[in-house]
Amino acid sequence: MKKLKLGYAPTRRFTFSAEDAFKYKVQIRKQIESFGMDIDIVDLEGLNPEGLLYDDHMNADLITQRFKEEEVDAVFFPHCNFGTEDTVARVGKALGKPVLLWGPRDEAPLEDGMRLRDTQCGIFATGKVLRRFGVPFTYVTNSWVNDPVFERGFTNFIAAANVVRQFKSLRILQIGPRPASFWTMICNEGELLERFGIEIHPITLVDIQSRSKKIESSGSSELLEVIDYIKEKLDVSEVTEGDIRRIAALKVAMKSYAQETHSSAIAIQCWSSLQEAMSIMPCLANAILTDEQIPVTCETDIHGAITSIIVQAAAMNEHPTFFADITVRHPENDNGELLFHCGNFPVSLSVEQKPRLRKHFLFDDHAPGTHEGEIRGGSMSIARFDGDHGDYSIFLGRAKGIQGPYTRGSYVWVEVNDWPLWEEKLVKGPYVHHSVGIHANVIPAIYEACNYIPGLTADPVDPTEQEIQSWLRGSDLVRKTSASTHA
């Protein structure tokens, strides 16, 4: 996947110190590079002698042209002094990309009473003009360049922008129709395309069966690599060599279709026609692909696949997701719940040195292909994109792993803040029993991303919307600083 490209457009105004603005342009660039994010930065160097956006009407066209030619995914307008609000707004409007607005705190006035920058005042002006132009934007509290709240806000914005760019170019490979009895998996393909630009590329189970058989008999290097991976990472004592080869061939076939169709995620009808046709379950193949950042959802869950991409992108594609049923309450912990699926959680998340490759324990055919075992706990984010009657939202909540009884399949027991509240929200909808988890805090990034996706509403249960906003403002950091000062 290509790196996210950030347009860097530091701005100043002629009435304040050009020298100080240039100094801060350099300092801010060094600071954001120190955050260690794997992004490309496109700046304004060469467009004018200063590499700054200032009150020159030609500036807006030149800057817009550069950022469009470089195909930036988001743009950052740090105010190095008061800034030039009209040019910022023109560029932001022309690009139509996520916008970050921030400026470094102003130093004390000079001894003669003069002020060099008035950055905060300029931010107020730009915020108003961006609203006039109808440009949605993210704002980070006016703070020092090395302040933790700036790092928090900047990195969260980049993650949000990554969600937006992947959501708006989303294509899902659909392998087979939904299981007939799973009405919960009904989705409106036309509406997803019209509302969000999300494309579905359908193929049949016959297509995947045919390609898998060709790969199985080919002895290709990719097939052999997957076979070696399965034998190295899993306990395969309960299955045959033929089973392993068919599972590996299915994985290779699914990936090849995803690459050919430029699909970011896959939704597959995992039962029961596939078992009858190929004598395997696809669970382990799903798990391996999900570990490779091509998330696969079960039971042709299109909305689940969309959720997976949102969650994965919010973690900057640095962590694998896991696709789970929200299944049963913990037998002893009233805020505990079982996240489970038949055997599709990424192998990298397993707590066992060699999780078992087994036959399915629910279906009569007991076809092999389920990767079973508990995955690691710790802090997690749980999400679900869904909708009905033309309204779409994304459920967001925090969970942490806890001890719980053994169960078959891939699983983890978690504890949440208020399970009855979660249950009520999930039952009343528009959500279903499927969710996506990740071992990362992606909730603030997804919340912010929804500001740039018309028609999608963030629906957080924990933390609340007010708590997310407070965290983004850095109110907790202000309280710590204030307490330390008073102490």
Side-chain angles (χ1 to χ4, degrees):
M1 181 174 295
K2 293 180 180 178
K3 293 181 182 180
L4 181 140
K5 278 191 177 183
L6 176 69
Y8 182 64
T11 179
R12 72 166 181 87
R13 176 163 283 186
F14 70 94
T15 52
F16 294 91
S17 170
E19 294 78 11
D20 265 59
F22 187 89
K23 178 182 73 175
Y24 273 96
K25 177 196 79 167
V26 175
Q27 283 186 14
I28 295 165
R29 172 70 181 263
K30 287 181 179 178
Q31 189 68 16
I32 63 177
E33 288 175 343
S34 76
F35 298 154
M37 304 196 81
D38 190 22
I39 61 174
D40 288 330
I41 298 175
V42 180
D43 56 33
L44 307 184
E45 302 305 317
L47 292 185
N48 58 48
E50 301 175 30
L52 284 158
L53 181 158
Y54 50 86
D55 52 336
D56 172 359
H57 288 300
M58 293 300 294
N59 245 342
D61 293 336
L62 291 172
I63 294 167
T64 299
Q65 181 180 353
R66 170 168 288 186
F67 285 165
K68 283 187 174 182
E69 288 175 352
E70 292 287 341
E71 299 181 334
V72 301
D73 302 296
V75 61
F76 177 28
F77 295 105
H79 281 44
C80 298
N81 65 27
F82 190 97
T84 306
E85 70 266 26
D86 56 337
T87 306
V88 168
R90 287 191 184 96
V91 174
K93 182 71 172 180
L95 291 174
K97 301 292 183 179
V99 166
L100 178 61
L101 179 62
W102 172 83
R105 282 181 67 167
D106 298 278
E107 299 84 0
L110 301 176
E111 289 184 4
D112 62 2
M114 295 299 292
R115 299 188 305 277
L116 294 176
R117 295 188 295 115
D118 272 23
T119 293
Q120 186 187 53
C121 188
I123 292 170
F124 294 146
T126 299
K128 177 62 174 179
V129 180
L130 286 171
R131 285 179 56 86
R132 290 284 192 199
F133 275 68
V135 177
F137 64 93
T138 298
Y139 174 63
V140 176
T141 304
N142 179 229
S143 49
W144 305 115
V145 173
N146 61 353
D147 197 313
V149 73
F150 173 49
E151 180 175 2
R152 177 187 291 183
F154 179 86
T155 56
N156 193 76
F157 170 76
I158 294 298
N162 198 40
V163 172
V164 174
R165 72 157 178 156
Q166 293 192 40
F167 184 88
K168 290 188 174 181
S169 61
L170 183 52
R171 180 179 294 147
I172 298 166
L173 176 65
Q174 177 182 328
I175 304 176
R178 65 173 174 83
S181 59
F182 270 43
W183 284 46
T184 47
M185 296 303 106
I186 291 173
C187 75
N188 189 327
E189 180 181 345
E191 193 168 73
L192 289 174
L193 180 63
E194 294 162 1
R195 180 74 63 86
F196 303 116
I198 296 174
E199 300 178 12
I200 312 298
H201 186 99
I203 63 172
T204 69
L205 291 173
V206 173
D207 294 323
I208 201 71
Q209 178 192 17
S210 175
R211 181 166 296 190
S212 295
K213 284 185 174 180
K214 290 179 181 178
I215 293 168
E216 182 185 347
S217 61
S218 70
S220 68
S221 59
E222 190 173 2
L223 173 67
L224 297 177
E225 285 175 9
V226 180
I227 291 172
D228 289 343
Y229 173 88
I230 292 172
K231 291 181 176 180
E232 177 189 351
K233 298 293 184 181
L234 293 106
D235 177 351
V236 297
S237 59
E238 296 183 33
V239 299
T240 68
E241 287 286 335
D243 296 332
I244 296 170
R245 194 175 187 88
R246 286 193 297 276
I247 293 166
L250 175 61
K251 183 269 178 185
V252 175
M254 291 167 67
K255 185 172 184 177
S256 67
Y257 266 117
Q259 291 173 332
E260 288 173 15
T261 61
H262 302 285
S263 298
S264 304
I266 301 171
I268 186 171
Q269 187 207 100
C270 51
W271 60 273
S272 58
S273 297
L274 189 143
Q275 290 77 60
E276 295 171 3
M278 301 179 64
S279 301
I280 56 169
M281 294 293 297
C283 307
L284 177 60
N286 298 353
I288 298 172
L289 283 166
T290 301
D291 244 336
E292 295 179 0
Q293 299 285 302
I294 304 175
V296 185
T297 57
C298 311
E299 294 145 347
T300 323
D301 185 353
I302 299 295
H303 288 173
I306 295 170
T307 312
S308 297
I309 290 299
I310 291 173
V311 170
Q312 187 172 269
M316 295 301 292
N317 297 84
E318 294 178 353
H319 302 274
T321 59
F322 61 94
F323 179 74
D325 275 354
I326 301 174
T327 312
V328 298
R329 296 183 73 175
H330 194 283
E332 298 173 353
N333 186 332
D334 287 343
N335 283 322
E337 183 71 14
L338 176 65
L339 302 182
F340 151 93
H341 229 286
C342 308
N344 63 322
F345 291 4
V347 179
S348 66
L349 298 179
S350 177
V351 297
E352 301 177 37
Q353 187 173 2
K354 275 202 165 188
R356 286 182 288 178
L357 177 55
R358 308 188 70 179
K359 295 182 178 180
H360 201 286
F361 60 97
L362 289 177
F363 296 119
D364 292 336
D365 54 23
H366 296 292
T370 59
H371 150 240
E372 296 192 28
E374 186 178 7
I375 64 167
R376 63 183 173 88
S379 299
M380 309 172 205
S381 300
I382 308 298
R384 173 70 193 186
F385 167 96
D386 225 317
D388 51 36
H389 302 283
D391 296 321
Y392 290 85
S393 58
I394 183 163
F395 174 94
L396 299 167
R398 294 182 293 196
K400 64 177 181 179
I402 58 173
Q403 293 295 316
Y406 166 75
T407 186
R408 293 289 303 271
S410 298
Y411 73 96
V412 62
W413 291 94
V414 298
E415 181 180 51
V416 303
N417 65 323
D418 183 351
W419 176 254
L421 176 62
W422 281 53
E423 184 175 294
E424 179 179 331
K425 188 175 284 284
L426 291 168
V427 170
K428 288 189 172 181
Y431 312 109
V432 298
H433 61 291
H434 285 171
S435 66
V436 175
I438 195 166
H439 292 80
N441 179 20
V442 298
I443 293 172
I446 295 173
Y447 174 85
E448 192 65 36
C450 289
N451 291 325
Y452 299 101
I453 303 174
L456 179 59
T457 302
D459 188 12
V461 64
D462 177 37
T464 65
E465 185 170 11
Q466 292 75 19
E467 289 169 337
I468 295 170
Q469 291 172 346
S470 177
W471 184 87
L472 289 170
R473 286 193 296 268
S475 299
D476 57 323
L477 299 171
V478 172
R479 286 193 294 270
K480 288 179 183 177
T481 302
S482 178
S484 175
T485 301
H486 291 324

